[in-house]
Amino acid sequence: MDDLLDRHESGTASPFGYPDYSAFADVSEIDSFVKQLQEAEAAGAIGIVRGRGRNQDKIERVRLNDVLRLYDLLGRRPVGERAAQAHRCLLEGVDVPNEFEIPIAAIRAAWDRGGAWQGFAAQDADRLRTALLLAKAILEGKHRGVDYRTFSRRIAGESKALEKVEGAVVRILASALELPPAARPKDALRTLGLEKFAPPMLLAGRVDFDAAELSLARPTYFGIPPAEAHRVRLTERPRYLLTIENLASFNRHLTEADPEARGLTVYVGGYPSFATQDALRCFARAIPTEVPFYHWSDIDPDGTWIFRTIERIIERPLRPHLMASDLAEQFGRVPKEAVRPQRRAENSAISELIAYLERENAKWLEQEELDPVAPVEGESTFAR
């Protein structure tokens, strides 16, 4: 009978139910079930349709007759009432930012249908409220300069609270911030500065680190805490600065395309963390403007998101390296499940590639599929 109400609340007109007698453990359970149905029929809540001939004593199906009587009989409240109460619980005392109007409306719409939003049903309003408060705090910048678990404890009163609702937090924030299209929630939060520990930044080039004369040892590459980027010293002007998304491509570039370390090559660790973004901003200010900056990522929506993120933070021209539609057409594949690219930026050097990726049969290409080559002056800055 609960199933009849569930289907009624989801929009089914005059729903029917068919008893599954094989699901009962024994005859006594069947008898109890039949008795409940007969009582509901006597109350006018449902109608029972029996079989014919030899099966005339057997209940074949049950139809919903009176919704309000069945609610009362089962001690259940209409979905609209439950959704309204859950909605009040979610928003009570919260000054909801205008940027969150779309996800809040989607939550209410899902609950009004008796469904769930991102796995949170009406009865989960308290947990979703925690996600809303965390998302609001992030939007207000209260996470800056605070590690992941300290932020969670300060806002939600529990150090692991954010881990439990990461997906919902990211979905709420996605209406206000441009986040990586296909990133896991933890990776998306990392780009905003929420991480347990900042991973090291890997560098290769003719550089020293404070008093350490690394240029004499010429290591293939070395790692530093991103916050220490200001301690990197150039021993000579690099021919270029190249940021690379993928670790395998980073290693291949160093050994195959630039074994003499004429450029400054930086591994950004996939989606660049907030600390890595700050380090790149530091390099952009310290390196002469004549040195061209490039970025090499996968040719897909996440790759263009990473490009645009770096482009915004360095505040100087950034050129795509091995990121062009002709390469995708030649070597790429049409994805099985396409992710819509981020909002187009007309003034971005990657805008034409973003437009290409919006096409119905656009191909994606992982950067590992390409052999590395060193950036050259005059390299196309736009997808062809």
Side-chain angles (χ1 to χ4, degrees):
M1 288 184 284
D2 275 309
D3 180 65
L4 289 176
L5 287 180
D6 288 342
R7 290 162 57 207
H8 164 76
E9 291 174 347
S10 66
T12 302
S14 303
F16 276 85
Y18 298 86
D20 180 11
Y21 292 101
S22 64
F24 294 101
D26 51 41
V27 174
S28 64
E29 285 192 2
I30 295 177
D31 290 342
S32 176
F33 170 71
V34 170
K35 183 180 179 181
Q36 291 177 29
L37 293 181
Q38 290 172 338
E39 290 173 352
E41 183 183 41
I46 64 171
I48 293 176
V49 180
R50 301 181 183 277
R52 297 179 180 179
R54 296 180 180 179
N55 294 322
Q56 61 182 349
D57 293 331
K58 186 176 182 180
I59 298 175
E60 284 194 346
R61 63 184 184 273
V62 177
R63 67 173 180 271
L64 178 59
N65 279 353
D66 191 312
V67 174
L68 295 180
R69 288 186 180 181
L70 188 54
Y71 275 125
D72 185 60
L73 186 67
L74 296 178
R76 173 171 163 173
R77 290 181 301 152
V79 64
E81 291 182 14
R82 288 183 281 130
Q85 182 178 357
H87 192 254
R88 287 193 296 272
C89 174
L90 175 67
L91 302 183
E92 186 177 4
V94 181
D95 184 13
V96 180
N98 293 333
E99 294 90 338
F100 291 172
E101 287 183 0
I102 293 176
I104 293 298
I107 292 167
R108 179 60 189 267
W111 288 351
D112 280 339
R113 296 190 303 270
W117 181 85
Q118 298 298 307
F120 291 84
Q123 60 266 30
D124 303 314
D126 283 340
R127 290 198 303 122
L128 191 55
R129 178 183 171 85
T130 298
L132 177 62
L133 292 172
L134 288 164
K136 181 175 183 290
I138 293 171
L139 187 66
E140 293 170 349
K142 294 180 180 178
H143 66 294
R144 292 175 184 166
V146 183
D147 68 89
Y148 184 102
R149 288 193 168 169
T150 299
F151 167 76
S152 180
R153 177 176 52 79
R154 289 181 180 177
I155 302 302
E158 181 190 348
S159 63
K160 295 185 179 180
L162 179 55
E163 291 182 63
K164 298 174 182 177
V165 292
E166 281 179 336
V169 170
V170 169
R171 285 303 298 266
I172 293 171
L173 284 171
S175 65
L177 304 175
E178 193 169 334
L179 299 174
R184 296 177 304 170
K186 193 175 298 294
D187 289 332
L189 291 174
R190 189 163 63 92
T191 67
L192 300 175
L194 277 168
E195 54 191 344
K196 296 174 183 176
F197 302 100
M201 170 181 271
L202 305 184
L203 304 172
R206 301 193 174 196
V207 296
D208 291 335
F209 187 73
D210 267 356
E213 296 182 337
L214 299 176
S215 55
L216 297 179
R218 290 284 302 279
T220 304
Y221 63 82
F222 62 97
I224 63 169
E228 301 298 315
H230 63 280
R231 299 171 63 186
V232 173
R233 295 186 296 107
L234 299 174
T235 59
E236 62 180 67
R237 192 174 78 179
R239 292 181 179 175
Y240 59 82
L241 182 143
L242 172 64
T243 54
I244 299 180
E245 172 191 348
N246 178 271
L247 183 59
S249 296
F250 171 77
N251 278 281
R252 286 193 63 195
H253 178 85
L254 303 183
T255 57
E256 299 175 34
D258 192 14
E260 297 299 317
R262 295 295 182 181
L264 177 58
T265 307
V266 183
Y267 170 58
V268 297
Y271 308 104
S273 69
F274 204 70
T276 297
Q277 293 176 38
D278 276 345
L280 294 176
R281 190 179 289 112
C282 176
F283 290 153
R285 292 169 181 165
I287 295 176
T289 56
E290 312 89 73
V291 176
F293 277 44
Y294 296 87
H295 176 71
W296 182 18
S297 262
D298 294 338
I299 300 177
D300 63 13
D302 274 345
T304 57
W305 182 92
I306 295 171
F307 182 97
R308 285 196 59 209
T309 298
I310 297 174
E311 185 179 43
R312 282 194 299 265
I313 62 177
I314 64 175
E315 298 180 334
R316 62 188 285 169
L318 181 67
R319 307 178 185 186
H321 178 61
L322 299 178
M323 296 179 70
S325 57
D326 58 347
L327 292 172
E329 284 293 315
Q330 185 175 359
F331 302 109
R333 298 180 181 85
V334 176
K336 294 180 180 179
E337 296 182 7
V339 176
R340 183 174 179 79
Q342 69 272 16
R343 292 184 290 272
R344 191 182 308 182
E346 298 297 338
N347 296 324
S348 170
I350 205 73
S351 61
E352 292 190 19
L353 183 58
I354 293 174
Y356 164 78
L357 291 172
E358 290 178 339
R359 298 178 191 172
E360 184 176 350
N361 293 315
K363 296 179 180 180
W364 295 7
L365 176 65
E366 293 184 357
Q367 63 185 116
E368 301 98 307
E369 299 291 328
L370 299 175
D371 292 330
V373 296
V376 295
E377 192 68 34
E379 180 177 5
S380 172
T381 58
F382 296 100
R384 296 184 292 276

